[in-house]
Amino acid sequence: MITPTRAAGLDALRAFVPHAGADYRRDRNHDTGPARTNVSGLSPYIRHRLVTEQEVVDAVLERHSLHTAEKFVQEVFWRAYWKGWLEQRPEVWRRYREEVRDLLAGDLPAHYEDVVAGRSGIEAMDAWVRELVETGYLHNHTRMWFASIWVFTLELPWQLGADFFSRHLLDGDAASNTLSWRWVAGLQTRGKTYLATTENIARYTDGRFAPTGLATEARALDEEPFPAAVPVPSDDVDGRIGERVGLLLHEEDLEPESLLAEHPSLASSIRAVAVAADPGQRSPAEVSTAVTAFTAGAVADAASRTTDATVLDSVEPSAVLDWADAADLDTVVVPYAPVGPVRERLDLLRTRLGAEGVALVTVRRRWDGRAWPYASRGFFPFRERMPGSVGAH
């Protein structure tokens, strides 16, 4: 059980830091089962920014050199890279959302329901489905095997697999999840696929699983081309703040103290705080109770750490408008949400608030502002640019 609080996330970080160097480099790819201790388990906290990427990297580099902890720090960079890449290509997300809606509304493949119920007939897949549904988590290596078997052995649409993960992963992140599935399928890096093999699975599960009958080749999927990348949008905080300001936190960023420390002039003008989330917007299908409960707990925790914060039932415009009206606000400030379901909701909210004379203004963290523009090409050029920024605040 992963406790959805910042305190629990910081405890997990402190416990993991001693192992973030050589231990992690040696053991990170092994999946020994749900009781695993060879990975950090921090991703649900980072995904909701109960603990921030900057905090994690700083804590690790206080104990280890960048060279020693490179493999772990690189995993944190991957999360920033995926977000920055998708930020510059929002049409990839828009098309994925449309395809998921169409697939779920149409005639699903005959074996889809059996697979997501843990009845695929492949012992490893069925065990991983159960673990995902019960715990809200899968090891990263296992996610790659799962996606490969889903796409190339079971021949199911990758979009339905990404949606299944999104509905069940506590750390389900629009960019990391969607683009990782695209990578396995050969769409993200054109023509480069990932093929799960019996030998690799047996080796890295320490013999727990050795599925047979897997696909022996992984032919890359194809798709219509996308528009050219666009620049990362600028933050819109400067010069847009009114006199009666409220802060609205959402599930992409639930750590207001460090966010406001980066914007001290804003911090002094806030007169009301609210926290809201709607994890059900991850998918047209039903989101798991584990995801819903974790998100609700994270929201409650953020509210408990913020003086006089109001927990809203949703981020529906009517709920936010009622709160803004009761607090007599002319500006609602929100943490910048990357491309994904929360951004979709905030775009709608901006229009509705504007019609009532209330501005919606975003504030972006320095971490994102530094990292995202470098995600214009592949990960390795991005990685080369990031080490000089990790210590900057």
Side-chain angles (χ1 to χ4, degrees):
M1 180 66 179
I2 302 176
T3 304
T5 65
R6 174 167 167 78
L10 292 174
D11 285 344
L13 175 59
R14 282 189 290 268
F16 175 72
V17 161
H19 308 287
D23 293 347
Y24 181 80
R25 184 173 63 249
R26 181 187 63 243
D27 299 331
R28 70 189 189 283
N29 284 329
H30 289 266
D31 185 3
T32 56
R36 63 186 67 83
T37 58
N38 58 318
V39 292
S40 72
L42 290 169
S43 57
Y45 300 107
I46 297 172
R47 182 261 177 270
H48 295 87
R49 279 188 167 153
L50 289 168
V51 179
T52 70
E53 296 95 329
Q54 188 75 64
E55 285 180 295
V56 171
V57 170
D58 286 350
V60 168
L61 295 184
E62 285 177 7
R63 177 70 177 260
H64 307 276
S65 69
L66 181 57
H67 173 74
T68 301
E70 179 183 11
K71 290 298 183 181
F72 178 75
V73 173
Q74 183 171 296
E75 292 303 315
V76 183
F77 288 173
W78 265 110
R79 184 170 290 268
Y81 170 76
W82 287 134
K83 286 184 178 181
W85 193 96
L86 193 59
E87 195 71 16
Q88 298 175 63
R89 299 163 181 84
E91 179 64 16
V92 173
W93 171 255
R94 190 207 63 78
R95 188 186 296 180
Y96 159 73
R97 291 283 268 182
E98 182 178 280
E99 289 167 346
V100 168
R101 284 192 293 268
D102 290 346
L103 285 165
L104 290 174
D107 294 327
L108 292 168
H111 57 306
Y112 168 79
E113 294 294 346
D114 282 336
V115 174
V116 299
R119 299 191 301 268
S120 72
I122 301 173
E123 180 187 5
M125 282 290 284
D126 296 342
W128 295 332
V129 166
R130 290 192 296 272
E131 181 182 348
L132 174 61
V133 171
E134 292 169 6
T135 70
Y137 185 84
L138 283 178
H139 187 285
N140 185 61
H141 206 168
T142 298
R143 298 183 198 197
M144 294 167 61
W145 296 326
F146 189 110
S148 180
I149 295 170
W150 179 286
V151 173
F152 300 116
T153 298
L154 298 172
E155 298 183 337
L156 287 166
W158 74 266
Q159 299 93 330
L160 290 180
D163 177 70
F164 181 61
F165 269 20
S166 183
R167 288 187 282 123
H168 289 278
L169 285 171
L170 301 183
D171 61 11
D173 171 270
S176 297
N177 183 57
T178 308
L179 301 183
S180 294
W181 274 84
R182 285 175 53 81
W183 181 81
V184 168
L187 298 170
Q188 190 63 22
T189 301
R190 300 293 294 177
K192 182 178 177 60
T193 58
Y194 177 78
L195 181 65
T197 67
T198 301
E199 294 75 19
N200 188 260
I201 294 171
R203 175 185 176 187
Y204 286 104
T205 61
D206 296 342
R208 290 188 305 124
F209 300 114
T212 57
L214 303 185
T216 57
E217 62 177 352
R219 293 185 179 179
L221 304 185
D222 201 5
E223 63 186 354
E224 292 296 317
F226 288 97
V230 298
V232 174
S234 61
D235 204 353
D236 61 9
V237 65
D238 294 334
R240 299 281 302 279
I241 301 297
E243 297 179 354
R244 304 184 306 280
V245 181
L247 174 65
L248 175 63
L249 302 174
H250 50 70
E251 65 261 42
E252 293 285 351
D253 198 319
L254 293 170
E255 209 300 275
E257 184 176 2
S258 59
L259 177 68
L260 294 177
E262 296 183 7
H263 302 277
S265 61
L266 171 62
S268 62
S269 63
I270 290 175
R271 61 192 295 174
V273 179
V275 193
D278 190 356
Q281 295 299 316
R282 290 188 182 191
S283 170
E286 186 175 359
V287 172
S288 77
T289 55
V291 166
T292 301
F294 185 92
T295 308
V299 164
D301 177 67
S304 73
R305 292 182 279 106
T306 309
T307 304
D308 296 328
T310 300
V311 176
L312 303 182
D313 292 335
S314 73
V315 194
E316 289 296 319
S318 58
V320 178
L321 280 167
D322 287 345
W323 166 70
D325 183 61
D328 190 27
L329 305 178
D330 61 14
T331 306
V332 173
V333 171
V334 295
Y336 191 101
V339 169
V342 176
R343 169 79 72 81
E344 293 173 348
R345 299 201 312 266
L346 292 180
D347 287 345
L348 293 173
L349 180 60
R350 185 189 297 271
T351 300
R352 285 291 304 277
L353 288 176
E356 300 296 328
V358 180
L360 183 73
V361 176
T362 60
V363 288
R364 185 160 54 212
R365 288 183 182 269
R366 292 172 189 158
W367 174 275
D368 298 332
R370 292 194 307 267
W372 291 355
Y374 295 146
S376 57
R377 297 188 293 146
F379 174 74
F380 293 103
F382 171 85
R383 183 188 64 178
E384 294 304 313
R385 301 296 298 269
M386 282 300 289
S389 301
V390 294
H393 292 278

